[in-house]
Every structure is written in structure tokens, then in C-alpha cells.
């Protein structure tokens, strides 16, 4: 009798599928973080622009020196926050690109395992057919010999 086909390729394919799913979840989370960062960036830019306009438009009640200083300091802090958010956005874009690259690698690996599994099963079916053909030939020879001897 012939050996059963090895199950290792289908097991490895399943592991690849699991890795793809984990990676898909990571990509989704990274994209959510990225969109939150972009929303924060937008809000900060709007806030910065609002304060910038306040500082250049003439105000009937002229701000005191300490108020002007506080406003500049606040705008500086907003600018620093904008810079940090921009860096975080760049990092999240790199992370998404890295995860997408991994996704492609995992998908290629899954396809390899699937192909090897199919090849293994195909080779098994071929051996099975050959074995069956050999058995049929033996039975045919035995029948021929038994008719000839009788």
C-alpha cells in the first residue's frame, strides 16, 4: 500500500493564513491610529490658525504684555505639538508600509505552501492510480492464467 500524503504543507498553509489574518488586524489598527493622528493634526492646525489670526487682528481691548506673551507661548506649544504629530504620522505611515510589505510576503508564503500541498496530493493521487492499475493488471493476468489452466 502507498503512504498517505504528508500533512505538513496544509499545516504550514494554515499557519500562513493565521499570520495573514494577524497582519490584517495590525494593518487595520495602524490605519485607525493614522487617521486619528491626521484628525489631531487638522484640529491643531485650525487652532494654531485661529490663534495666529487673533494675534494679527487689531483688538479694541489691546492685550497686555503678559497676555501677548502667554499667547505666543501657547502658539509655540501648538507648533511643537504639530511637529510631534507630524513625526507620529510619518512613523505610522512607515509602519503601515512595513505591514503591507509583510502582508505581501505572508501571502506569497501561503501560496507556496498551498502549491506544495497541491503537488503532494497530486503526486499521491498519481501513485494511487498507478497502484490501482498495477493491481488491475495483476488481477487480469491471474484471470488469464486461470482460464488458460482450466
Amino acid at each position: 500500500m502507498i503512504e498517505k500524503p504528508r500533512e505538513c504543507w496544509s499545516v504550514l498553509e494554515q499557519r500562513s493564513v493565521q499570520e495573514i489574518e494577524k497582519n490584517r488586524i495590525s494593518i487595520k489598527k495602524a490605519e485607525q491610529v493614522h487617521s486619528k493622528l491626521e484628525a489631531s493634526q487638522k484640529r491643531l492646525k485650525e487652532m494654531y490658525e485661529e490663534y495666529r489670526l487673533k494675534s494679527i487682528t487689531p483688538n479694541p481691548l489691546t492685550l497686555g504684555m503678559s497676555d501677548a506673551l502667554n499667547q505666543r507661548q501657547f502658539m509655540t506649544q501648538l507648533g511643537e505639538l504639530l511637529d510631534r504629530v507630524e513625526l507620529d504620522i510619518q512613523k505610522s505611515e512607515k509602519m503601515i508600509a512595513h505591514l503591507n510589505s509583510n502582508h505581501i510576503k505572508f501571502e506569497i508564503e501561503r501560496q507556496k505552501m498551498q502549491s506544495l500541498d497541491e503537488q503532494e496530493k497530486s503526486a499521491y493521487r498519481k501513485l494511487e492510480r498507478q497502484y490501482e492499475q498495477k493491481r488491475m493488471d495483476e488481477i487480469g493476468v491471474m484471470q488469464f492464467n486461470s482460464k488458460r489452466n482450466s
Side-chain angles (χ1 to χ4, degrees):
M1 192 70 189
I2 7 177
E3 290 183 32
K4 290 238 176 218
R6 293 179 287 186
E7 295 292 321
C8 65
W9 303 123
S10 58
V11 170
L12 290 173
E13 180 186 3
Q14 284 294 22
R15 286 188 184 162
S16 295
V17 168
Q18 290 170 350
E19 287 297 318
I20 288 170
E21 191 55 37
K22 285 180 190 177
N23 194 58
R24 218 178 258 143
I25 291 168
S26 296
I27 289 172
K28 191 173 183 178
K29 286 179 182 178
E31 286 173 343
Q32 289 172 345
V33 167
H34 185 75
S35 64
K36 286 179 184 178
L37 286 170
E38 285 180 332
S40 295
Q41 181 186 37
K42 182 181 175 189
R43 283 192 310 272
L44 284 171
K45 283 181 178 180
E46 289 169 356
M47 198 181 295
Y48 184 85
E49 188 60 26
E50 180 183 322
Y51 274 89
R52 189 186 68 75
L53 289 174
K54 280 184 185 178
S55 70
I56 59 173
T57 55
N59 191 351
L61 303 171
T62 310
L63 295 174
M65 188 62 123
S66 67
D67 289 338
L69 185 61
N70 286 340
Q71 188 170 1
R72 280 193 199 116
Q73 192 174 23
F74 183 69
M75 287 180 67
T76 302
Q77 289 172 345
L78 282 176
E80 289 171 0
L81 277 175
L82 271 168
D83 291 342
R84 283 200 329 217
V85 168
E86 182 62 39
L87 281 174
D88 289 345
I89 287 174
Q90 290 173 4
K91 286 178 186 176
S92 73
E93 287 171 348
K94 286 180 184 176
M95 177 60 80
I96 290 170
H98 175 72
L99 290 170
N100 283 329
S101 171
N102 282 348
H103 184 75
I104 292 168
K105 290 176 189 173
F106 292 146
E107 187 59 37
I108 289 170
E109 194 63 24
R110 184 199 64 78
Q111 289 174 355
K112 281 183 197 175
M113 296 306 130
Q114 182 182 24
S115 175
L116 289 168
D117 188 39
E118 288 170 0
Q119 288 174 9
E120 180 81 19
K121 288 176 182 175
S122 176
Y124 175 75
R125 286 190 299 272
K126 181 179 177 184
L127 281 174
E128 204 172 39
R129 283 192 302 273
Q130 288 174 345
Y131 178 77
E132 288 299 318
Q133 186 62 46
K134 182 179 174 185
R135 294 285 298 143
M136 295 296 279
D137 291 347
E138 288 173 357
I139 291 171
V141 168
M142 285 185 349
Q143 285 179 346
F144 177 78
N145 286 339
S146 69
K147 286 182 182 177
R148 214 171 133 207
N149 291 334
S150 16

